[in-house]
Every structure is written in C-alpha cells, then in structure tokens.
Amino acid sequence: MTATTKIRPRALVRASGGPRYAVALAVDALGTGLLRPFLLIYGVTVLRLSAPATGIAMTAGVVVGLVCMPAVGRWLDRGARSTVVAASMLVRVAGVVLLLATPTGHVGLFATAALFLGAGNQAWPAAHAALVATVAHGRERDAALAGGRALRNAGLGAGALLATVCLAGGTGALQALAAVTGLAYLTAAALAWSVHVHADPVCAAPAAGADPGPAPRMPALLGANVIYVFCLNVPEIALPLVLLTQLDAAPVWAAAIFVANTVLVVTLQVPVTFLMSRFSRRAVLAFAGVVLAVSYLGFLAAASLGPGWGAPAVAAVAVVCTLGEIIYAGSATALVTALAPAHVLGRTLARFELSSGFGLAVSPAAITALAPHGPAALWGSLAAATLLSAGAVATEKDPEQPVPPPADPLPPKTGALVHPGAPGAA
C-alpha cells in the first residue's frame, strides 16, 4: 500500500475541489454552525412552541432527509456532482426562508422548515464525497476528504461560538442569525455550483459486455458504521450527561471537552489520515473501533473515581476517544469510495450515509436510555458493540469488482493501434 508522506496544502486544496469549493465548504459550515445547534432554542424561544413539538419536528426532518438519500444516490450516478452539492445548500436556504416566515405558534410551518434543513443536511455528505472522488483518486482522495472534514469542523465551531455570543441578544439576535445562515447557504451554493464538476456516466459505466452489477451490499461495514457513529455524539451527549448527573461536575468540564474535541479534529484530522495511509483502509477502520472501545472502557474506569477526580479523568480519556473518532472519520468514507464501482458510486455513498444517519438518529435515545442504569451499562455496552463492529469490519471480504470480458484478438495488421481506453490496452 503506497503511503502519502508529505502534506502539500496546494495539492490538497486542488484535490478537494479547488479554492472556490474550499471557500464554499467554509461558508456553508459557518452557516450551519450558526443555526443548527440552536434550532431547538429558536423553536422554543422565538416561535413559542413546546419543546416536545419542536423536537418531534426536528426528528421528522432527519427522517425525511434519510428517505431522500436513494434519490440523491441515483442523481449522483447520472453524473451530477457540484450541482447536487449546490442543491443540498439551496434546499437549506428554502428551509431558512420558511423558518423566518413562520408565525409564532405555527408548528406546521416550523416542521416544514425543519424538513428542508434536514434533507439538505443529509444529502450534503454523500454529494461532497462523490465530488471529491471525481477530482481526486487514491490516497490523495483520502487526504482531501480528511481536509474537508477538518475545514468543516472549523467552520462549525466558529459558527457555534459566534452564535453563542449572539444569544445574549434575545429573539431578535436569533432571527438575525437565521437570516445570516440563509445568506451563507446561498453564497456557498453559488460558489459550489460555479466549480462545474460533472462525471461522465458513460465513462463510469463498465466496459461493453461486462456485468455492471448492483451497488455493493457491504452488510458488515454498513452495520458496523451504525455503531461507530455513536462516537460523534459522545462529546455532545454522553459525556455532558455523565459529568452532570453521575459525577456532579461543573458544566465547564463538558464545554471544555467539546472545545478540545473540535480543536483536535481540526488540527489532527489530515495529519493522522496521512500517517495511517501506510496501512489498508479496512485495517485502519477496524483499528479505529478498537481505539474507541478502549476509550469507552476508560470512561467506565474514570466514572468509578466519583466526584473530584472523575471529571479530570473523563477529560483525559476524551482525548483518546477523539483520536478514535479521527481515525474512523479518515478511513470510513475513504473505504466506501474505494470499494464502490464508479457507475454506482452515488448509490453506494447514499447507502453509507443512510447507515450514518440512522446511527446518529438512534444514538441519543440509546445513550440516554443506558445512562440511568449506571456507567457499566452505558460504557460496557458501547465498548462491546464497538469491538464486535470492529471485528465484523476486519473479517468482511471486499466486494468483487466487475471483470470485463477478454478482448478480441487484434487483426494481424502492421501499425494496428489500440485506444488507451479500450479493452486490451496496456
């Protein structure tokens, strides 16, 4: 396996879609960071909706976004790339416009806005991964995906920090944040569309006479991914819950862990992905599961220390958990794009994002259901499930790629040429 040994920023930007697309990613992430963490607060404080009604509307938005993924996959397989990325941003513009137009107490219109926002949020990762896979290949593609995640986390963190500062301004400030978010999405959509990246579906199709085959099933990988993505909600949900309810720690500990997680992802995502490029993607993804499972057992040990030393110990173990998250994020999507035949790349990525979305949707409920039963129930269950998932990833065989039929022998004619793209070309 060839390893990438040197980080070249300019080459990384080109492999990620170019400077304009990088700016589009940053602007989109900034806008998402401004609104997404505070959408529940917007519904409750600005629109005067009940917390349960607001939560149900937001959950429905995630579910509808997942339902839309097969259509997104088919659109990508017809060759669309930057158009789908721009569309995922424009859908969120419509969601913000509806949000600003929602009168006080109107839960139906708020739910519709949440549907548009959820659909755009779910469609974006697959569209972005397909675009990067079109302009970059091999380990350069892996690094570009890692760079995009680091850039997005930086934008999300900056947006969330800015929004937190603005919350002191009351409902007017929240409405202004929503408006700025809409403008950010619109700007990002225009920049993404201007890149004009399109894959030729004819070139992506298998050679004549070859069996095109369906999208690879990858049941173990997709099933394991549902468990792996729990790690993304550990800093946001599990650790604050444990720190506040089981260790009686000050809220500042949860905030510090979240900030440290963001900083580590932004600074280490690309270097760690480069470092792991000397190993196979599947082995790295299995290793990520082991690291995450070890961190969960570390949280179990830290929780046993009780109030006092428990909170600092949890914060220290959180660094190990973040490293596991970084290794997972740098290898999972990269492995899927490497396994997917070009003509079903979109459908394969859509299927992967379905598993991610499902895991993110059920993880808050699973975590909050296990936590009241004690640290052993929460962290022991997560560690066992993640280790089983890592084993499933390591032992699953890669899907076989379609093999073109043998080429017809060339006629014995002097000077006969073979087109480089034809069967039998060297």
Side-chain angles (χ1 to χ4, degrees):
M1 185 66 64
T2 303
T4 304
T5 58
K6 185 178 180 181
I7 300 175
R8 295 173 295 174
R10 290 185 179 179
L12 191 60
V13 170
R14 286 197 304 271
S16 302
R20 275 180 298 170
Y21 187 68
V23 174
L25 292 186
V27 173
D28 176 74
L30 182 65
T32 302
L34 285 173
L35 182 62
R36 192 168 70 177
F38 306 103
L39 187 58
L40 179 66
I41 298 175
Y42 188 98
V44 172
T45 61
V46 176
L47 302 180
R48 307 296 180 187
L49 303 175
S50 67
T54 306
I56 290 172
M58 293 173 62
T59 301
V62 174
V63 172
V64 170
L66 293 176
V67 172
C68 292
M69 287 310 299
V72 172
R74 289 191 295 270
W75 191 8
L76 289 169
D77 284 338
R78 289 198 293 269
R81 292 293 185 268
S82 55
T83 304
V84 185
V85 175
S88 73
M89 297 170 178
L90 287 175
V91 165
R92 284 176 283 172
V93 173
V96 172
V97 171
L98 286 173
L99 191 66
L100 292 171
T102 302
T104 302
H106 199 297
V107 67
L109 202 54
F110 175 79
T112 305
L115 296 183
F116 278 96
L117 291 169
N121 287 332
Q122 293 296 326
W124 181 86
H128 166 69
L131 186 147
V132 172
T134 303
V135 299
H137 305 281
R139 293 297 181 171
E140 186 180 57
R141 179 193 59 222
D142 298 8
L145 289 169
R149 182 172 191 261
L151 180 62
R152 185 164 180 79
N153 273 270
L156 288 170
L161 180 62
L162 180 59
T164 302
V165 173
C166 294
L167 281 178
T171 58
L174 281 173
Q175 289 173 317
L177 283 175
V180 172
T181 299
L183 290 174
Y185 286 151
L186 186 61
T187 302
L191 288 169
W193 179 82
S194 70
V195 175
H196 296 304
V197 174
H198 185 88
D200 188 349
V202 175
C203 294
D211 179 14
R217 293 176 58 84
M218 305 181 297
L221 176 58
L222 297 179
N225 188 56
V226 173
I227 303 299
Y228 271 80
V229 297
F230 274 53
C231 72
L232 302 180
N233 275 331
V234 165
E236 297 183 25
I237 297 174
L239 295 186
L241 188 63
V242 169
L243 288 167
L244 296 178
T245 64
Q246 297 178 6
L247 298 178
D248 296 323
V252 67
W253 281 105
I257 289 173
F258 180 78
V259 171
N261 174 270
T262 302
V263 171
L264 288 173
V265 170
V266 171
T267 56
L268 296 182
Q269 185 67 72
V270 174
V272 169
T273 302
F274 268 81
L275 180 65
M276 291 294 169
S277 66
R278 67 192 65 188
F279 308 106
S280 75
R281 299 177 181 90
R282 186 174 289 278
V284 172
L285 184 55
F287 176 65
V290 175
V291 175
L292 289 171
V294 168
S295 73
Y296 297 154
L297 294 176
F299 288 132
L300 176 58
S304 67
L305 298 177
W309 286 105
V314 166
V317 177
V319 175
V320 180
C321 185
T322 299
L323 289 175
E325 174 191 336
I326 289 171
I327 297 170
Y328 155 68
S331 57
T333 304
L335 176 60
V336 172
T337 56
L339 294 177
H343 68 288
V344 289
L345 175 64
R347 277 169 285 178
T348 306
L349 285 170
R351 189 175 292 175
F352 177 71
E353 291 304 329
L354 273 173
S355 71
S356 297
F358 180 75
L360 290 173
V362 302
S363 57
I367 290 171
T368 53
L370 290 170
H373 298 285
L378 174 60
W379 301 117
S381 298
L382 287 179
T386 307
L387 275 178
L388 288 174
S389 299
V393 168
T395 56
E396 184 179 41
K397 292 184 178 180
D398 292 341
E400 294 183 1
Q401 300 289 346
V403 179
D408 294 332
L410 292 172
K413 180 180 179 181
T414 304
L417 298 175
V418 180
H419 191 276

